[in-house]
Amino acid sequence: MTENRDREQVLRSSGVDVLKCMRCGKCSGTCPSYDEMEYHPHQFVYMVEKGEIDKLMASPSIYKCLSCFACVERCPRGVEPAKLVEAVRAMVIRKQGQNHLKPDQIPALLDEDLPQQAIVTALRKYNRGN
């Protein structure tokens, strides 16, 4: 029962229709974090469809996603894998004490070549639920 409830929560909060996915893999082919991810964007969509939210919540892939939305731009069917990743990440963060990274740890990870957008994205990503 929890699987169905979690699946529905991810679908509702992301607004993604996973049934539109035809599993072509174009989203994964364009993902800049592909080599770093345990589950790739097309797998993420399929796993949400099947209700495997617990596996996704435990995966480091949700923190490897750059939220660049390249997968969204590449999808011929308008499926938005990055929104699913963000929804699953938000579920994890909402559980107290589950933050992967604390906002005050981010400055130590910065270097002079890091784009400003990456800093803002990191703060958005890891500042939820605190």
Side-chain angles (χ1 to χ4, degrees):
M1 274 320 214
T2 302
E3 288 177 2
N4 285 339
R5 188 176 29 212
D6 288 346
R7 178 183 178 275
E8 292 307 314
Q9 182 179 347
V10 168
L11 293 174
R12 187 174 42 256
S13 65
S14 69
V16 174
D17 182 357
V18 293
L19 298 177
K20 292 187 337 185
C21 180
M22 60 184 181
R23 299 188 214 342
C24 66
K26 288 182 179 182
C27 58
S28 294
T30 194
C31 179
S33 296
Y34 182 89
D35 292 336
E36 303 292 323
M37 298 179 83
E38 176 183 14
Y39 301 119
H40 304 112
H42 74 282
Q43 293 171 309
F44 226 91
V45 174
Y46 183 71
M47 292 173 76
V48 169
E49 179 184 338
K50 296 300 176 198
E52 297 177 350
I53 307 303
D54 288 342
K55 283 184 184 178
L56 295 173
M57 289 177 73
S59 173
S61 293
I62 61 175
Y63 302 108
K64 301 296 182 178
C65 173
L66 300 173
S67 301
C68 67
F69 287 74
C71 57
V72 173
E73 292 297 320
R74 189 71 173 108
C75 180
R77 304 284 310 266
V79 180
E80 301 170 302
K83 287 186 177 183
L84 293 172
V85 174
E86 295 231 342
V88 171
R89 184 186 303 131
M91 282 182 68
V92 171
I93 291 171
R94 281 187 197 108
K95 293 181 184 234
Q96 204 56 273
Q98 295 293 316
N99 286 347
H100 176 70
L101 185 67
K102 304 288 183 208
D104 60 347
Q105 293 173 306
I106 294 171
L109 301 172
L110 302 179
D111 67 39
E112 60 189 46
D113 296 326
L114 191 67
Q116 187 73 24
Q117 182 179 358
I119 298 167
V120 173
T121 299
L123 287 170
R124 278 185 38 235
K125 183 186 293 187
Y126 298 112
N127 203 23
R128 295 180 183 163
N130 289 335

